[in-house]
mmCIF file of all heavy atoms in Angstrom:
data_model
loop_
_atom_site.group_PDB
_atom_site.id
_atom_site.type_symbol
_atom_site.label_atom_id
_atom_site.label_comp_id
_atom_site.label_asym_id
_atom_site.label_seq_id
_atom_site.Cartn_x
_atom_site.Cartn_y
_atom_site.Cartn_z
ATOM 1 N N VAL A 132 130.928 174.618 145.027
ATOM 2 C CA VAL A 132 131.054 175.063 146.518
ATOM 3 C C VAL A 132 132.012 174.168 147.274
ATOM 4 O O VAL A 132 132.998 174.714 147.928
ATOM 5 C CB VAL A 132 129.748 175.166 147.133
ATOM 6 C CG1 VAL A 132 129.865 175.437 148.714
ATOM 7 C CG2 VAL A 132 128.846 176.187 146.548
ATOM 8 N N LEU A 133 132.054 172.914 147.088
ATOM 9 C CA LEU A 133 132.932 172.014 147.674
ATOM 10 C C LEU A 133 134.388 172.054 147.201
ATOM 11 O O LEU A 133 135.285 172.033 147.999
ATOM 12 C CB LEU A 133 132.540 170.538 147.665
ATOM 13 C CG LEU A 133 131.191 170.262 148.233
ATOM 14 C CD1 LEU A 133 130.831 168.767 148.263
ATOM 15 C CD2 LEU A 133 131.105 170.771 149.668
ATOM 16 N N LEU A 134 134.554 172.448 145.891
ATOM 17 C CA LEU A 134 135.899 172.752 145.461
ATOM 18 C C LEU A 134 136.567 174.003 146.073
ATOM 19 O O LEU A 134 137.694 173.950 146.493
ATOM 20 C CB LEU A 134 135.861 172.892 143.802
ATOM 21 C CG LEU A 134 135.898 171.716 142.992
ATOM 22 C CD1 LEU A 134 135.569 172.004 141.588
ATOM 23 C CD2 LEU A 134 137.241 170.932 143.056
ATOM 24 N N GLU A 135 135.712 175.012 146.131
ATOM 25 C CA GLU A 135 136.199 176.297 146.822
ATOM 26 C C GLU A 135 136.535 176.036 148.278
ATOM 27 O O GLU A 135 137.444 176.565 148.883
ATOM 28 C CB GLU A 135 135.137 177.391 146.681
ATOM 29 C CG GLU A 135 135.479 178.669 147.340
ATOM 30 C CD GLU A 135 136.851 179.325 146.922
ATOM 31 O OE1 GLU A 135 137.375 178.948 145.884
ATOM 32 O OE2 GLU A 135 137.245 180.042 147.727
ATOM 33 N N ILE A 136 135.613 175.172 148.984
ATOM 34 C CA ILE A 136 135.850 174.880 150.308
ATOM 35 C C ILE A 136 137.193 174.117 150.506
ATOM 36 O O ILE A 136 138.035 174.393 151.318
ATOM 37 C CB ILE A 136 134.677 174.036 150.973
ATOM 38 C CG1 ILE A 136 133.538 175.099 151.240
ATOM 39 C CG2 ILE A 136 135.038 173.349 152.154
ATOM 40 C CD1 ILE A 136 132.230 174.353 151.672
ATOM 41 N N ALA A 137 137.495 173.187 149.562
ATOM 42 C CA ALA A 137 138.754 172.407 149.496
ATOM 43 C C ALA A 137 139.969 173.430 149.396
ATOM 44 O O ALA A 137 140.932 173.256 150.025
ATOM 45 C CB ALA A 137 138.809 171.431 148.390
ATOM 46 N N ARG A 138 139.777 174.457 148.496
ATOM 47 C CA ARG A 138 140.830 175.488 148.306
ATOM 48 C C ARG A 138 141.085 176.196 149.580
ATOM 49 O O ARG A 138 142.275 176.481 149.956
ATOM 50 C CB ARG A 138 140.344 176.429 147.198
ATOM 51 C CG ARG A 138 141.461 177.271 146.774
ATOM 52 C CD ARG A 138 140.952 178.248 145.571
ATOM 53 N NE ARG A 138 140.162 179.366 146.133
ATOM 54 C CZ ARG A 138 140.613 180.423 146.650
ATOM 55 N NH1 ARG A 138 141.923 180.615 146.616
ATOM 56 N NH2 ARG A 138 139.797 181.412 147.034
ATOM 57 N N GLN A 139 140.002 176.528 150.276
ATOM 58 C CA GLN A 139 140.173 177.166 151.644
ATOM 59 C C GLN A 139 140.954 176.338 152.640
ATOM 60 O O GLN A 139 141.783 176.850 153.432
ATOM 61 C CB GLN A 139 138.857 177.656 152.137
ATOM 62 C CG GLN A 139 138.024 178.632 151.329
ATOM 63 C CD GLN A 139 138.717 180.059 151.218
ATOM 64 O OE1 GLN A 139 139.454 180.419 152.080
ATOM 65 N NE2 GLN A 139 138.401 180.668 150.101
ATOM 66 N N PHE A 140 140.521 175.111 152.668
ATOM 67 C CA PHE A 140 141.148 174.150 153.580
ATOM 68 C C PHE A 140 142.718 174.081 153.346
ATOM 69 O O PHE A 140 143.451 173.909 154.210
ATOM 70 C CB PHE A 140 140.616 172.725 153.482
ATOM 71 C CG PHE A 140 139.290 172.574 154.049
ATOM 72 C CD1 PHE A 140 138.496 171.470 153.727
ATOM 73 C CD2 PHE A 140 138.604 173.617 154.811
ATOM 74 C CE1 PHE A 140 137.181 171.257 154.278
ATOM 75 C CE2 PHE A 140 137.387 173.423 155.360
ATOM 76 C CZ PHE A 140 136.561 172.295 154.990
ATOM 77 N N SER A 141 143.088 174.123 152.039
ATOM 78 C CA SER A 141 144.525 174.152 151.742
ATOM 79 C C SER A 141 145.214 175.302 152.198
ATOM 80 O O SER A 141 146.370 175.261 152.410
ATOM 81 C CB SER A 141 144.680 173.886 150.216
ATOM 82 O OG SER A 141 144.335 175.045 149.515
ATOM 83 N N ASN A 142 144.524 176.410 152.389
ATOM 84 C CA ASN A 142 145.088 177.581 152.983
ATOM 85 C C ASN A 142 145.071 177.618 154.529
ATOM 86 O O ASN A 142 145.950 178.101 155.082
ATOM 87 C CB ASN A 142 144.384 178.821 152.420
ATOM 88 C CG ASN A 142 144.604 179.037 150.943
ATOM 89 O OD1 ASN A 142 145.665 178.588 150.341
ATOM 90 N ND2 ASN A 142 143.584 179.689 150.292
ATOM 91 N N LYS A 143 144.058 177.125 155.018
ATOM 92 C CA LYS A 143 143.838 177.156 156.608
ATOM 93 C C LYS A 143 143.085 175.894 156.894
ATOM 94 O O LYS A 143 141.883 175.655 156.664
ATOM 95 C CB LYS A 143 143.022 178.351 156.889
ATOM 96 C CG LYS A 143 142.781 178.510 158.408
ATOM 97 C CD LYS A 143 141.978 179.769 158.734
ATOM 98 C CE LYS A 143 141.864 180.103 160.215
ATOM 99 N NZ LYS A 143 141.007 179.139 160.926
ATOM 100 N N GLU A 144 143.797 174.995 157.575
ATOM 101 C CA GLU A 144 143.288 173.606 157.858
ATOM 102 C C GLU A 144 142.235 173.836 159.049
ATOM 103 O O GLU A 144 142.497 174.480 159.979
ATOM 104 C CB GLU A 144 144.358 172.708 158.356
ATOM 105 C CG GLU A 144 144.287 171.212 158.041
ATOM 106 C CD GLU A 144 145.535 170.460 158.433
ATOM 107 O OE1 GLU A 144 145.647 170.067 159.556
ATOM 108 O OE2 GLU A 144 146.401 170.349 157.549
ATOM 109 N N PRO A 145 141.118 173.059 158.908
ATOM 110 C CA PRO A 145 140.183 173.214 160.072
ATOM 111 C C PRO A 145 140.657 172.320 161.286
ATOM 112 O O PRO A 145 141.614 171.548 161.085
ATOM 113 C CB PRO A 145 138.933 172.566 159.462
ATOM 114 C CG PRO A 145 139.257 171.935 158.150
ATOM 115 C CD PRO A 145 140.608 172.425 157.794
ATOM 116 N N ASN A 146 140.051 172.400 162.396
ATOM 117 C CA ASN A 146 140.539 171.654 163.581
ATOM 118 C C ASN A 146 140.076 170.156 163.486
ATOM 119 O O ASN A 146 140.618 169.313 164.080
ATOM 120 C CB ASN A 146 139.746 172.185 164.861
ATOM 121 C CG ASN A 146 140.102 173.678 165.094
ATOM 122 O OD1 ASN A 146 141.339 174.039 164.942
ATOM 123 N ND2 ASN A 146 139.176 174.432 165.386
ATOM 124 N N ILE A 147 139.161 169.880 162.591
ATOM 125 C CA ILE A 147 138.578 168.466 162.498
ATOM 126 C C ILE A 147 139.010 167.978 161.040
ATOM 127 O O ILE A 147 139.390 168.752 160.173
ATOM 128 C CB ILE A 147 137.082 168.500 162.573
ATOM 129 C CG1 ILE A 147 136.425 169.439 161.641
ATOM 130 C CG2 ILE A 147 136.657 168.874 164.005
ATOM 131 C CD1 ILE A 147 134.936 169.372 161.409
ATOM 132 N N GLY A 148 138.830 166.623 160.947
ATOM 133 C CA GLY A 148 139.038 166.058 159.608
ATOM 134 C C GLY A 148 137.825 166.213 158.774
ATOM 135 O O GLY A 148 136.673 166.169 159.291
ATOM 136 N N VAL A 149 138.044 166.318 157.605
ATOM 137 C CA VAL A 149 136.909 166.624 156.592
ATOM 138 C C VAL A 149 137.084 165.703 155.322
ATOM 139 O O VAL A 149 138.187 165.603 154.834
ATOM 140 C CB VAL A 149 136.682 168.042 156.159
ATOM 141 C CG1 VAL A 149 135.568 168.250 155.275
ATOM 142 C CG2 VAL A 149 136.637 169.003 157.361
#
Side-chain angles (χ1 to χ4, degrees):
V132 170
L133 295 186
L134 278 167
E135 175 59 18
I136 284 174
R138 191 179 77 83
Q139 297 292 339
F140 289 168
S141 70
N142 295 329
K143 181 178 187 287
E144 214 174 87
N146 299 319
I147 54 168
V149 181

